């Protein structure tokens, strides 16, 4: 690009780009909405986000209130839709709503940071190649054999149990899988003829990276963000369950741990276990669905293979016979049945 | 070509091993001058002089009194004699002895889980692929989304609640005497099986669905390959095509994941072992973590990493046997 | 296009160019093998001519073309483009001069970024060069579209909406958007349907005469080359077997390999078909090419001497050279006495087959 | 007793899709006499490969739907045969040679075992005997050192050798009909010549019928006796090779022949057919070729011309056939 661009045009360009991106996101959400499975995911995630943001207004009780002695161990009722805890009488629904905050925050933020780190590492390895590539791939191989959960436990022990450390550790050890996938995709893109054509036209590495390589991997990154967010939510819950999460926050994993420790199993307080489990389930389910639907949208081959069976089930026999009949030589000759242009079945 | 490939893989595994053990050596030393402080954190009611003496003892006991470089060399020397160090527990048991005690119990869980999930998973995956688009397939697809969204530890809690406490079909907590009283009698084995049922089921559900889904996708991918069409054009019977052509090729990617999954199972069993109070490596690790027993924790970590490296190497070499196309470091 | 160039000098001058690719060994620090993609090729291409490179897969024709446009660095030899050594230029200079050369790819499906629309595809080279306003760019793209036989309705459609032939037209438009004067056409029609071959070939010829382009035309089909090219080389395993003007090569093909390629061309005159030359054996791997004449293992006329003595390209008439011991009669009397010009025993037998109908 | 090896009447194949019905093959008749080599020529998407699979009833449903009025191999009517019955026909009486031997052979099985399978399936013989026959079959198609080659995996062989293995496999049980689906397209020109020679030689030696699917007219001219030209799912012309190359009647056949570069051409001139093959979902009305045909009239735009039969056995689907001689017009 030439240096003569003044500030105004640069701003215009950036503005244009931002608008374009927003439009893309809008289009994309529309696509998700149109897909029956995507719609469920979108609804679930939207509800969770609303719960997380407006938790103090939505939650009927203060989840931190441990002084309700009279309300200990109540089964679900109109007052306490999901019952209360046996030990302290906290309202489980309120805890569940507050727990959304932790899960979403950890899950989504880790997912996004991971996508960035994985993309950077994968693209560097694939596009620059050579020494950078082998260095990154060696690191990936080492990380692959170190058992993740024990390592996370050790590191949270070393650095303290707050969510910054937890996110950091998840990111530091989660990028390898994505980096591998991105790398192999970048290798394919890098050797494609359209990149060669751009190189021939004098394109800089930057241009090729921004116009060809990055857009080519973007679908993978978006999809991965949704799927890893779901995975991280499970991992966070597991960590909290082991009592290794942030001890001051209410999280679903910690609720489960409290339930187990507080004797929910023993005293038959099933609601205390089921509630956080449902929370985890819906959160992970929503994000997974979005991720899977994205994969279907971006990878139409998979859709085609499953769609064709549905299509065949709903095939109109009469229509099929008409199509076959329309091909008959005799009828074409007399000209009363024309081979009508094919329409959707 | 094959031979040099094997040599290359072994050399590479050794390299990874060295990186891992070096990391392992340095992790407890992160951000601290004196590892003795990490091994014996100051406790309440202890005067500075007392603490200083304890630290001095700790240093000498764990060899921190020499330079870091010398410590590293000593560490390597110990490792060469399969000595993973000494635990901080009373009586200073050797880490390797502690691991050796617990390992079989973890293997019981993870190997059983792996076998069950692989066997059932491949079976239902193949059926789903065969009945593509029908209810069997849809069922597997939905089961897989649901099971991923349900973490194993939640399943474990539910199982222990319902099958353990409510129906009392299986013990909800592992019988504490199971390990001590084990004597290879049929009765003892029955007790172990009975106690292992719930942990194995809760871990296997995810595995079955995972392997099922992978097998399904893999079988479908292979079914679409040209050589299956050739096999059909040869007039081969459907069973021959399935066993000799489809499954053999479809299993390749699953074999590759096998090595990783067994080491992953051992490491991932921590939560399940904790829920059922199963005295395996997972609980050992959590015990070590709660007492700050770093030598033990790092010993377990190193053991698990080495296990993973070897498992990886074995699957890679096994893969060469299965897939003749693999020659120089290229994998399909 | 710079104006101060001397059009009497060749646009491309390759001197003893060799290209080897190292093959990654299984174990580090072991001696590495190499693919000898191109060995000792010299050629010149004049302004405005069409230069054909013919050969089968693995003969190094694409590598050679890539070396001409600076995409592959030769292991030995010089490549002069407009009297400038491409590989001695600074990065910026190199980029500038390379805008004068473009390429048309074989597969129009993989050479167009599926995410771009036609406008983005064709304007990309101009966008990269910069300094062109959006309006000018659009006008130029519309002009180019017209030139290659597409309409401006197609401006915002994506490659997937087009047939193979139309995609190749887009590829051509992109290649000429910067006004290059040197264009490499790497098998431009072989991925397309038979009935559109002629369209694309005619389009290329038309554009060449309109824009005064120099073409390098890579193909395995001799008939195409004959009808398009002025000069040509026939390559086998990285070496030139026969070179010269297309006219003289087709009038008087000398090399046995050229004969074999010729007989693979469609002969519509079904009544009087010629004998078809069928070579025996496979194309050897370029990793360890045969010593001596690279073709001797498959040559129906191979002599004992061909095994060890490399065949050199020698002129047999003005602007027509052949690398063949038999044609050039290179053996000295002493060598002949040693039996080097005798056919290899049990070799020629069955090598030459006929393929006509009885 | 008829002398037709394959008689196919009114084959139709459609692929339902979300965007509409893809009409791949629209009612074609095919006759292959004993010992004859019939070529089906057409460009991508004309339905020629679908036809070849349909003959063996190898089309999967889904995605394909197939109808045929008559599908007779020798004296056997295959139309209503079940899948199990077809399995014993395939390989034994009809076999097929695919285009890309690299993907058509199982990558993790030695080529020898893949040929063995053919013998073991259709003959009641021991494994040892099967291997013996495999080696013979491989030698017959010119695989050198067959014994060691048989123990190689497909990726260890060259393209030409792999294609020979496919040919050996197809001829293994001496079937009545062999279908060769673009048997040389993936190969280099000099290797193509070898493989074609092997194929032609085997076919003449064993006197089997050959159905050759190709887009390459030079292959047709070298191997085939009779040619069917397909366009967009319909047969537009049927003629002997000699007749077709000398006097193509359909403008498409003419264009196809003329547009292929030939050595006899003068410089810088290629006869071209405008436009490209119609998308299978957007076939034009009337004659499918009319948008590309310079002789098209109003009639061609409205009605699909019938496949007209001449006395000398030629057939053409065109209202304005080219080069029709007086003797042919008498019909």
């Amino acid at each position: 690009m030439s240096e003569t661009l003044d500030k105004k045009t640069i701003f215009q360009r950036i503005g244009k780009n931002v608008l374009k991106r927003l439009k893309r996101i809008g289009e994309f959400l529309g696509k998700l909405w149109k897909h029956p499975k995507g719609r469920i995911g979108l609804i679930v995630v939207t509800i969770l986000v609303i719960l997380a943001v407006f938790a103090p207004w939505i939650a009927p009780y203060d989840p931190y209130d441990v002084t309700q002695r009279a309300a200990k161990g109540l089964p679900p009722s109109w007052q306490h839709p999901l019952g209360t805890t046996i030990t302290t009488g906290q309202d489980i629904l309120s805890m569940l709503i507050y727990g959304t905050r932790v899960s979403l925050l950890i899950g989504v933020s880790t997912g996004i940071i991971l996508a960035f780190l994985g993309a950077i590492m994968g693209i560097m390895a694939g596009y620059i190649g050579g020494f950078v590539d082998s260095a990154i791939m060696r690191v990936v191989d080492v990380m692959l054999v170190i058992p993740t959960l024990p390592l996370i436990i050790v590191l949270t022990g070393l650095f303290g149990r707050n969510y910054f450390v937890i996110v950091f550790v998840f990111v530091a050890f989660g990028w390898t899988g994505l980096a591998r996938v991105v790398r192999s995709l970048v290798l394919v893109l890098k050797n494609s003829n359209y990149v060669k054509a751009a190189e021939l036209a004098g394109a800089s590495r930057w241009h090729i990276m921004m116009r060809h390589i990055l857009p080519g991997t973007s679908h993978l990154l978006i999809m991965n963000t949704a799927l890893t967010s779901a995975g991280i939510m499970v991992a966070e819950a597991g960590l909290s369950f082991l009592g290794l999460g942030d001890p001051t926050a209410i999280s679903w994993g910690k609720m489960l741990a409290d339930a187990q420790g507080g004797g929910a199993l023993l005293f038959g307080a099933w609601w205390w276990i089921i509630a956080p489990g449902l929370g985890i389930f819906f959160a992970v389910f929503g994000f997974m669905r979005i991720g899977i639907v994205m994969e279907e949208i971006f990878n139409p081959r998979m859709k085609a293979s499953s769609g064709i069976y549905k299509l065949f089930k709903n095939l109109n026999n009469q229509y099929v016979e008409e199509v076959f009949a329309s091909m008959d030589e005799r009828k074409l000759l007399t000209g009363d049945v024309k081979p009508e242009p094919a329409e959707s079945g | 070509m094959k031979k040099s490939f094997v040599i290359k893989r072994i050399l590479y595994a050794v390299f990874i091993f060295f990186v891992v053990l070096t990391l392992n050596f340095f992790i407890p030393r992160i951000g601290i001058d004196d590892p003795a402080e990490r091994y014996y954190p100051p406790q309440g009611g202890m005067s500075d002089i007392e603490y200083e003496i304890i630290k001095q003892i700790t240093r000498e006991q764990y060899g921190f009194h020499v330079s870091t470089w010398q410590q590293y060399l000593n560490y390597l020397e110990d490792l060469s004699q399969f000595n993973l160090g000494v635990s901080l527990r009373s009586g200073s048991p050797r880490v390797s002895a502690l691991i050796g005690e617990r390992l079989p119990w973890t293997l019981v869980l993870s190997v059983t889980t792996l076998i069950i999930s692989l066997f059932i998973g491949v079976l239902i995956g193949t059926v789903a692929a065969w009945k593509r688009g029908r209810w069997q397939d849809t069922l597997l697809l939905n089961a897989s989304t649901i099971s991923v969204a349900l973490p194993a530890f939640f399943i474990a809690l539910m199982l222990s609640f319902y099958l353990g406490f409510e129906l009392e079909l299986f013990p909800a907590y592992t019988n504490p005497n199971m390990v001590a009283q084990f004597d290879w009698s049929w009765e003892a084995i029955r007790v172990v099986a009975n106690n292992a049922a719930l942990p194995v089921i809760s871990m296997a559900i995810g595995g079955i669905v995972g392997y099922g889904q992978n097998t399904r996708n893999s079988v479908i991918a292979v079914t679409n390959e040209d050589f299956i069409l050739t096999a059909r054009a040869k007039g081969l019977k459907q069973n021959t095509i399935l066993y000799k052509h489809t499954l053999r090729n479809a299993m390749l990617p699953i074999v590759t994941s096998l090595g990783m999954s067994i080491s992953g199972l051992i490491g991932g069993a921590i939560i399940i072992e904790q829920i059922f109070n199963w005295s395996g490596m997972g609980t050992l690790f959590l015990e070590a973590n709660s007492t700050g027993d770093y030598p033990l924790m790092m010993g377990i970590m190193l053991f698990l990493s080495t296990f993973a490296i070897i498992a990886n190497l074995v699957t890679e070499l096994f893969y060469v046997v299965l897939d003749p196309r693999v020659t120089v470091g290229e994998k399909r | 296009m710079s104006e101060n160039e001397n059009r009497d000098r060749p646009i491309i001058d390759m001197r003893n160019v060799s290209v080897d690719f190292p093959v990654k060994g299984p174990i580090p620090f072991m001696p590495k093998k190499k693919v000898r993609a191109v060995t000792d090729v010299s050629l010149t291409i004049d302004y405005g001519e069409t230069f054909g490179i013919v050969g089968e897969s693995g003969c190094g024709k694409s590598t050679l073309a890539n070396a001409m446009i600076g995409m592959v660095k030769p292991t030995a030899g010089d490549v002069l483009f407009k009297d400038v050594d491409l590989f001695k230029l600074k990065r910026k200079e190199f980029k500038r001069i390379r805008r004068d050369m473009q390429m048309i790819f074989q597969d129009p499906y993989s050479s167009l970024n599926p995410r771009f629309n036609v406008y983005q595809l064709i304007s990309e080279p101009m966008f990269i060069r910069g300094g062109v306003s959006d309006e000018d760019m659009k006008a130029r793209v519309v002009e180019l579209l017209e030139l290659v036989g597409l309409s401006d309705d197609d401006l915002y459609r994506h490659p997937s909406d087009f047939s193979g032939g139309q995609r190749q037209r887009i590829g051509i438009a992109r290649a000429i958007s910067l006004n290059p004067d040197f264009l490499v056409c790497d098998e431009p029609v072989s991925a397309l349907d038979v009935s559109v071959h002629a369209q694309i070939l005619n389009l290329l010829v038309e554009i060449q005469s309109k824009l005064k382009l120099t073409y390098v035309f890579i193909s395995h089909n001799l008939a195409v080359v004959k009808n398009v090219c002025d000069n040509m080389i026939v390559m086998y395993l990285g070496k030139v077997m026969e070179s010269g003007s297309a006219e003289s090569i087709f009038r008087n093909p000398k090399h046995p390999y050229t004969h074999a390629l010729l007989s693979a061309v469609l002969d519509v005159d079904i009544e009087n078909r010629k004998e078809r030359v069928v070579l025996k054996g496979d194309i050897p791997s370029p990793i360890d090419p045969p010593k001596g004449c690279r073709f001797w293992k498959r040559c129906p006329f191979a002599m004992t001497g061909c095994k060890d003595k490399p065949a050199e390209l020698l002129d047999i008439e003005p602007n027509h050279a052949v690398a063949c011991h038999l044609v050039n009669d290179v053996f000295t009397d002493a060598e002949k006495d040693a039996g080097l010009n005798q056919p290899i025993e049990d070799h020629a037998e069955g090598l030459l087959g006929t393929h006509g109908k009885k | 007793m008829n002398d037709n090896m394959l008689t196919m009447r009114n084959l139709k194949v459609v692929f339902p899709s979300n965007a509409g019905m893809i009409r791949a093959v629209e009612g074609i008749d095919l006759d292959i006499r004993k010992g004859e080599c019939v070529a089906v020529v057409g460009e991508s998407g004309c339905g020629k490969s679908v036809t070849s699979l349909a003959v063996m009833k190898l089309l999967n449903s889904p995605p394909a739907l197939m109808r045929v009025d008559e599908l007779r191999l020798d004296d056997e009517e295959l139309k209503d045969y079940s899948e199990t019955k077809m399995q014993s026909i395939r390989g034994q009486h009809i076999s097929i040679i695919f285009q890309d031997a690299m993907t058509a052979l199982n990558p993790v099985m030695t080529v020898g075992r893949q040929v063995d399978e053919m013998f073991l399936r259709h003959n009641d013989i021991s494994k040892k005997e099967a291997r013996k026959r495999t080696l013979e079959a491989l030698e017959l198609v010119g695989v050198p050192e067959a014994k060691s080659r048989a123990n190689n995996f497909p990726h260890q062989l060259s393209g030409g050798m792999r294609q020979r293995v496919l040919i050996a496999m197809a001829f293994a049980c001496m079937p009545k009909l062999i279908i060769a689906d673009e048997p040389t397209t993936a190969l280099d020109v000099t290797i193509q010549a070898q493989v074609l020679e092997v194929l032609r030689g085997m076919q003449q030696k064993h006197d089997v019928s050959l159905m050759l699917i190709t887009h390459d007219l030079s292959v047709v001219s070298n191997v085939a006796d009779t040619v069917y030209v397909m366009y967009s799912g319909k047969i537009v012309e049927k003629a002997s090779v000699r007749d077709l190359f000398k006097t193509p009647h359909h403008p498409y056949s003419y264009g196809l022949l003329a547009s292929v570069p030939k050595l006899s051409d003068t410089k810088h001139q290629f006869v071209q057919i405008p436009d490209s093959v119609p998308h299978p979902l957007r076939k034009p009305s009337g004659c499918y070729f009319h948008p590309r045909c310079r002789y098209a009239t109003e009639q061609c735009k409205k009605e699909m011309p019938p496949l007209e039969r001449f006395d000398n056995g030629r057939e053409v689907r065109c209202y304005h056939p080219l080069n029709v001689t007086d003797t042919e017009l008498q019909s």
Side-chain angles (χ1 to χ4, degrees), chain A residues 245-268:
Chain A
D246 191 328
T248 57
I250 292 178
S251 80
W252 294 336
K254 190 157 167 287
M255 283 169 76
L256 277 175
D258 290 346
Q260 198 206 10
L265 299 172
L266 213 59
F267 298 112

Side-chain angles (χ1 to χ4, degrees), chain C residues 82-97:
Chain C
K82 297 183 180 174
D83 288 327
V84 184
D85 191 331
L86 279 183
F87 296 97
K88 285 187 182 132
L89 288 174
K90 284 192 190 119
R91 222 180 132 79
K92 227 175 176 177
E93 276 288 287
F94 181 60
K95 265 189 186 168
R96 196 191 55 74
I97 201 162

Side-chain angles (χ1 to χ4, degrees), chain B residues 204-272:
Chain B
I205 287 177
I208 290 173
V209 177
Y211 279 116
Q213 192 67 26
N214 282 347
T215 308
R216 173 200 178 263
N217 293 344
S218 183
V219 167
I220 286 178
V222 173
T223 314
N224 291 335
E225 297 264 359
D226 284 353
F227 62 82
I228 297 297
L229 194 61
T230 313
R232 286 180 60 207
K234 281 154 111 178
L236 297 183
K237 288 178 179 157
Q238 271 181 357
N239 280 345
T240 324
I241 297 177
L242 180 66
Y243 294 124
K244 285 200 175 164
H245 292 271
T246 313
L247 276 184
R248 174 101 198 264
N249 279 283
M251 280 304 105
L252 291 177
I254 289 165
V255 167
T256 358
S257 70
L258 218 55
M260 250 7 262
S261 54
I262 176 120
S263 52
L265 265 175
I266 295 177
I270 291 182
I271 305 183
I272 302 295

Side-chain angles (χ1 to χ4, degrees), chain A residues 1-2, chain C residues 99 124-133 137 178:
Chain A
M1 263 182 269
S2 71
Chain C
R99 282 183 197 138
E124 196 192 13
M126 290 182 266
F127 179 80
I128 290 167
R129 191 171 61 173
V132 189
S133 72
M137 210 132 85
L178 286 184

Side-chain angles (χ1 to χ4, degrees), chain B residues 51-190:
Chain B
Y51 187 50
E52 213 30 71
I53 295 171
I54 287 181
K55 275 205 285 188
Q56 191 54 40
I57 297 172
T58 313
R59 275 186 211 120
E60 276 171 30
Q61 194 175 354
Y62 294 94
F64 295 141
H65 55 291
V66 291
S67 69
T68 313
W69 176 239
Q70 188 59 45
Q71 287 173 36
Y72 182 66
L73 288 183
N74 293 342
Y75 173 70
L76 289 185
E77 196 190 330
D78 285 349
L79 281 183
S80 67
Q81 293 156 1
F82 298 101
N83 180 2
L84 291 170
V86 179
S87 162
L88 297 181
R89 292 181 174 199
S90 58
S92 302
R94 286 194 155 210
V95 168
S96 47
L98 286 173
I99 292 178
E101 223 169 74
R102 299 290 189 93
L103 178 65
W105 297 103
T106 292
L107 283 182
V108 166
L109 283 195
S110 44
V111 171
T112 327
T113 306
L114 190 70
I115 291 173
I116 289 178
S117 41
L118 191 64
F119 186 75
I120 302 180
V122 168
L123 195 74
I124 63 174
T126 314
V127 170
W130 202 253
K131 306 265 175 188
R132 186 160 27 144
R134 310 224 192 113
W135 66 267
Q136 292 95 331
D137 191 20
T138 324
L139 187 73
L140 177 64
L141 191 73
N142 290 329
S144 78
T145 10
I146 290 174
S147 90
V148 176
L150 284 178
F153 64 88
F154 179 67
I155 297 177
L157 279 178
M158 294 312 294
L159 287 180
S160 115
F161 177 72
Y162 193 68
L163 298 184
F165 284 101
E166 294 288 305
L167 300 183
E168 299 185 357
L169 279 178
F170 298 103
Y173 282 110
T174 309
N175 184 351
N177 297 327
M178 179 185 81
V179 174
Q181 289 169 357
F182 190 74
D183 54 1
W184 289 105
S185 67
W186 282 113
E187 179 57 22
I189 291 175
R190 200 193 61 77

Side-chain angles (χ1 to χ4, degrees), chain A residues 311 321 324 326-329, chain D residues 10 12 18 67 307 317:
Chain A
L311 192 73
E321 290 313 319
F324 274 124
S326 74
M327 295 176 185
D328 274 334
E329 200 79 10
Chain D
N10 208 3
K12 303 168 193 164
N18 283 320
R67 290 279 192 292
L307 192 65
R317 184 189 296 278

